[in-house]
Amino acid sequence: MTLIILLAIASGMALSAQAAINGQLGEKVGVIESSLLTFSMGTVITGLLIFFFEPSYDATLLTVPKWQLAGALFGIIYMIVMVAAVPKVGVAIATVATILGQMIMSLVIDTQGWLGNAPIELNYWRIAAMVCIACALVCIYLANAQTQKVLEAPVTKENMTNLIKDPKYVS
């Protein structure tokens, strides 16, 4: 179980790197084109993985319940929103906001036992985790707002003097 958790953390790190790269690409070529590149590369690589490594299953994409195919649409929404959001709000806010949304929905799915999942009782630990993520989002947002305020301040002799006197800017 520890290995799976570590792999999930690594995949989350990869998603943040992907968001940063695709955000920059999306600003240059467009949000939809950047998303198309990601899905095209994903299709080719996934196809190769299926061909060489996927074991045989009883069900196919044509025989599973059709509602299960809807999961693919959510990946498109995620990709397009992240490519558009990252250049405007930064990787940290976009990622933590996404994680907060994931937490809210995952707690509802777990608690209600939706989509074929076994119900898991909502408890104080789960609520505390969601509150911590919400607090992280607020803290990152406030930090960004403070930095933006400093960057937008008019350049005056007084501002430059205060900046020079501030120990965190002096090396």
Side-chain angles (χ1 to χ4, degrees):
M1 185 152 122
T2 303
L3 178 60
I4 293 295
I5 292 171
L6 291 174
L7 288 173
I9 291 169
S11 71
M13 294 168 73
L15 277 177
S16 291
Q18 177 192 26
I21 293 166
N22 284 353
Q24 293 299 310
L25 181 64
E27 280 196 316
K28 291 177 179 59
V29 302
V31 171
I32 306 297
E33 283 187 52
S34 175
S35 298
L36 177 65
L37 173 67
T38 298
F39 287 114
S40 298
M41 291 296 298
T43 299
V44 169
I45 291 170
T46 304
L48 290 171
L49 290 171
I50 289 169
F51 184 74
F52 288 109
F53 299 107
E54 188 74 34
S56 180
Y57 289 91
D58 293 335
T60 69
L61 290 176
L62 300 175
T63 61
V64 296
K66 299 308 173 226
W67 68 267
Q68 291 178 347
L69 302 177
L73 296 175
F74 296 127
I76 295 167
I77 294 167
Y78 167 78
M79 177 61 63
I80 290 172
V81 169
M82 287 300 282
V83 171
V86 165
K88 292 175 180 47
V89 299
V91 178
I93 286 180
T95 301
V96 175
T98 299
I99 293 168
L100 180 59
Q102 288 175 319
M103 283 294 297
I104 292 168
M105 194 63 198
S106 65
L107 289 177
V108 170
I109 290 169
D110 277 353
T111 303
Q112 300 302 313
W114 286 356
L115 306 172
N117 291 285
I120 299 174
E121 184 180 337
L122 184 64
N123 60 36
Y124 294 114
W125 290 110
R126 289 173 156 248
I127 293 169
M130 191 167 56
V131 168
C132 287
I133 292 170
C135 289
L137 179 60
V138 169
C139 289
I140 294 169
Y141 175 82
L142 292 174
N144 284 8
Q146 183 180 17
T147 301
Q148 190 64 31
K149 186 176 173 184
V150 169
L151 293 175
E152 291 175 352
V155 178
T156 64
K157 183 177 180 181
E158 182 181 325
N159 286 349
M160 293 304 290
T161 304
N162 291 339
L163 197 61
I164 292 169
K165 290 179 180 177
D166 192 337
K168 66 182 171 190
Y169 297 109
V170 178
S171 52

